[in-house]
Amino acid sequence: MHISHASWQATARAKVADIHSRIPQEWVLSDTDLEKAKKQRTLTGPYIEQYLDDREKEIIGQDSVRLVEKLKSQEYTAVTVTRAYCKTAAIAQQINNCLHEVMFDFASQIASDLDQFVAENGTVKGPLHGLPISLKDQFHVKGYNTTMGYVGWIGTYEGSKDPAKVHQVNSQVVQELLSLGAVLFCKVKVLSRLFEGVQ
């Protein structure tokens, strides 16, 4: 299949616009903030934390074991943790263009359902209850693209336009993570080393 230069560029631009449109307005950085970021050598730690409140900084500063413990003890809710991670990812995306899929609405719904599960059952759903997980863009999540960075895979299933598969498949690892109570909130770029040796 031949894709013209103009059409692939338009597809790529539309995808970038779609990603940006999924960032809540309250998390959109100003032009001044974006210009300042271009001059920074280190974008993590204190730099990105300046956009977070104290509770959000506390949450994203926890390692995964401690975070799951605090979710289990109900010190944190899944919604609160998910919001902190989504906000941090939204800021990182604007500064560094690191996301292929923004799944904040999906994540928020999962988190809300998990909090409801705790309210109704008095216990967590599974060992990863409420733990935010970002995926490399090589795993399928229903409702979202999996492109591995290929513009030609946008809106397809690994290049196929079969409607039974496009945006209709969860990878096995995705099914497992969801069943264990994880919250999937974004898909990030795959490493270029993944393509080493490809002819």
Side-chain angles (χ1 to χ4, degrees):
M1 171 177 80
H2 175 73
I3 299 177
S4 73
H5 183 71
S7 69
W8 77 256
Q9 284 189 321
T11 300
R13 276 194 302 272
K15 183 60 183 173
V16 169
D18 176 64
I19 290 170
H20 187 73
S21 74
R22 293 173 187 261
I23 296 173
Q25 189 61 40
E26 66 200 85
W27 298 343
V28 173
L29 300 180
S30 69
D31 291 340
T32 303
D33 288 329
L34 294 174
E35 281 304 312
K36 284 181 186 174
K38 289 178 184 177
K39 299 172 184 167
Q40 294 298 313
R41 175 164 262 216
T42 302
L43 298 171
T44 59
Y47 187 79
I48 203 164
E49 287 175 358
Q50 71 181 304
Y51 300 106
L52 307 176
D53 65 31
D54 289 342
R55 184 70 159 172
E56 290 163 343
K57 285 188 266 192
E58 177 188 306
I59 289 168
I60 67 161
Q62 304 288 324
D63 65 36
S64 58
V65 173
R66 189 77 179 120
L67 193 54
V68 167
E69 287 172 357
K70 291 191 174 195
L71 284 155
K72 186 175 183 178
S73 71
Q74 299 180 40
E75 182 176 339
Y76 295 156
T77 66
V79 166
T80 303
V81 170
T82 297
R83 180 177 169 80
Y85 270 78
C86 289
K87 182 177 179 182
T88 306
I91 294 164
Q93 165 60 19
Q94 293 169 83
I95 292 171
N96 198 31
N97 193 32
C98 53
L99 304 183
H100 278 193
E101 288 294 327
V102 169
M103 306 189 307
F104 301 160
D105 289 342
F106 178 61
S108 295
Q109 185 59 59
I110 294 170
S112 180
D113 291 347
L114 289 169
D115 286 343
Q116 185 65 36
F117 184 91
V118 170
E120 291 173 358
N121 298 281
T123 188
V124 293
K125 182 178 177 183
L128 300 182
H129 180 99
L131 182 66
I133 301 282
S134 62
L135 298 166
K136 290 290 185 187
D137 188 26
Q138 65 193 87
F139 300 107
H140 297 286
V141 179
K142 285 181 184 176
Y144 295 94
N145 283 300
T146 301
T147 67
M148 289 183 52
Y150 297 122
V151 173
W153 280 15
I154 294 172
T156 73
Y157 176 85
E158 299 176 6
S160 166
K161 295 191 177 186
D162 179 355
K165 290 186 176 180
V166 175
H167 301 162
Q168 301 301 314
V169 176
N170 275 340
S171 293
Q172 184 64 39
V173 69
V174 168
Q175 289 290 112
E176 295 295 332
L177 287 168
L178 291 171
S179 73
L180 296 171
V183 177
L184 310 179
F185 70 104
C186 65
K187 293 172 79 173
V188 299
K189 294 180 177 183
V190 294
L191 299 173
S192 57
R193 291 184 65 91
L194 214 76
F195 301 105
E196 286 183 8
V198 174
Q199 301 297 323

